[in-house]
Amino acid sequence: MTPTYRTLTDRTLTDRTLTDRTLTFRTLTYCTNIHPGEGWADVLDNLERHALAVKAAFAPDADFPLGLRLSGQAAAELDAGRVAAFRDWCAEHGCHVATINGFPYGPFHGQAIKEAVYQPDWRMPQRAAYTCRLADIAAQWCPHAGTMSISTVPIAFRAGFDESDWPLVRSNLVDALTHLARLRDAGHAMITLALEPEPYCVLERTDEVLDCFDRLRLPPSLAPFLGICLDACHQAVQFETPADCLGMLAGAGVPLLRVQVSSALRARGAAIARLRRFDEPTYLHQAVLRTAAGRMERYADLPQLLATGAGRGSDDECRVHFHVPIFLAEIDGLGTTRDFLEALLPRVPAAVPLEVETYSFGVLPAALRAEPLAASIVRELTWVKELLDATHRRD
């Protein structure tokens, strides 16, 4: 039987199998790392002020999946009583936790973060301990027959990482994955860990992902618990193609656990100088320049690119890790990688959650922040839904 693809705005059905056909449901949400605040009280306040407004506008009659970002502080504050109370909150408001963002451990808004966002990385036992804590929380929110992924850093930031660090990385990953396997053996849900490749990190290109999985040599009992969170912005910055990314992962048997729906900046030739208005002090904006001759030049941050006078040739193209609203194809004379998303999303298997992740609204130029935040999020979710609906109609 052919799957019927349903988006989040369809009324939730409790039984996925009907007598005449099998229904495959698409999880579509947004990541709450867009909202500032590190403590659990901040998380709950943001959900009540923003996520419920998004649900009311986008999915008033459906159970709404939450892409929940939990910092180290919030995870530590979630005792058994708060975990149970939030489960009740979700039931009351027609929501459920679909994914957990375990990438940024510390503050993520309102101060210079840059490469500190990767700390602690997978060379450090603190990263494993934080991940295990998130898994314990997730196990209380996810139905026993369900699955949920926790996204995490791409091993470490590239600068300062050495070949000799891999044994530490493997040891800490094995500790975390063993914890996930024990939760499953104890009857809890299948909680998985999703490494998220990112420019200028140990894992940035898809071939480096495959090399990492080969090098880890995980035992069969742990291998199903580790996969990839594919961030569309990140892979577009690498000048990869959706077909190649997905094909390489599938061919190597690397699980695709989540897709983060995001878009990057792009500029050609003289327009590369216009990227200067996006040089802001909070986040790291890695850049990749492809020259007319096909040479790739990689920069850890936008100021380093701009200092080189890049764009000397009219056919030089630069892509920058700056998450911009996914529905935009152009911004003030600059392009975006929206076309990467248009090629990617129809190829993503329906069982893989889609999570819109434009966390940089707070640092966008003022002209791009004219509408209320909830309205922007709804506009992004609607763009994804309409793209997928159009694809399914063609099929």
Side-chain angles (χ1 to χ4, degrees), residues 23-183:
L23 299 179
T24 302
F25 295 98
R26 166 74 76 189
T27 294
L28 171 60
T29 186
Y30 81 98
C31 184
T32 63
N33 66 354
I34 188 174
H35 306 304
E38 301 304 311
W40 173 245
D42 300 317
V43 173
L44 194 56
D45 180 63
N46 284 324
L47 292 175
E48 292 178 339
R49 291 196 298 122
H50 300 293
L52 291 183
V54 171
K55 171 180 164 48
F58 183 67
D61 299 320
D63 193 54
F64 188 74
L66 300 172
L68 202 61
R69 186 244 162 169
L70 292 176
S71 69
Q73 177 184 338
E77 292 172 353
L78 271 168
D79 57 20
R82 290 189 176 101
V83 168
F86 185 63
R87 190 165 53 238
D88 294 341
W89 183 95
C90 286
E92 176 185 354
H93 294 287
C95 299
H96 68 277
V97 180
T99 63
I100 290 181
N101 186 324
F103 192 130
Y105 175 88
F108 194 57
H109 291 276
Q111 64 187 67
I113 298 162
K114 299 295 183 179
E115 61 266 30
V117 74
Y118 309 107
Q119 298 296 318
D121 61 36
W122 279 103
R123 292 172 291 187
M124 306 169 187
Q126 296 92 328
R127 173 59 64 172
Y130 167 52
T131 303
C132 291
R133 175 62 187 146
L134 293 177
D136 289 341
I137 295 167
Q140 302 305 310
W141 289 338
C142 189
H144 289 188
T147 62
M148 187 188 299
S149 66
I150 300 169
S151 59
T152 191
V153 296
I155 305 299
F157 189 57
R158 184 174 292 278
F161 189 87
D162 188 78
E163 183 73 16
S164 63
D165 291 327
W166 277 106
L168 273 176
V169 168
R170 186 182 189 279
S171 176
N172 289 322
L173 277 171
V174 166
D175 285 348
L177 297 173
T178 299
H179 187 80
L180 301 182
R182 287 172 177 165
L183 286 172

Side-chain angles (χ1 to χ4, degrees), residues 307-337:
T308 67
R312 294 172 293 274
S314 61
D315 291 329
D316 289 353
E317 180 178 346
C318 183
R319 299 185 183 183
V320 180
H321 176 215
F322 194 122
H323 289 217
V324 294
I326 61 174
F327 46 78
L328 295 177
E330 183 178 311
I331 300 174
D332 191 24
L334 296 171
T336 74
T337 58

Side-chain angles (χ1 to χ4, degrees), residues 154-155 158 166 195-197 202-218 226-230 235 240 243-256:
I155 305 299
R158 184 174 292 278
W166 277 106
L195 296 165
E196 182 183 330
V202 174
L203 302 185
E204 54 178 338
R205 302 187 310 273
T206 305
D207 61 337
E208 292 173 324
V209 170
L210 304 192
D211 178 70
C212 171
F213 276 70
D214 285 343
R215 151 190 321 268
L216 290 175
R217 300 185 308 279
L218 294 174
L226 185 67
I228 289 298
C229 170
L230 191 155
Q235 302 318 119
E240 296 191 336
D244 284 348
C245 290
L246 297 177
M248 291 171 69
L249 293 174
V254 175
L256 179 62

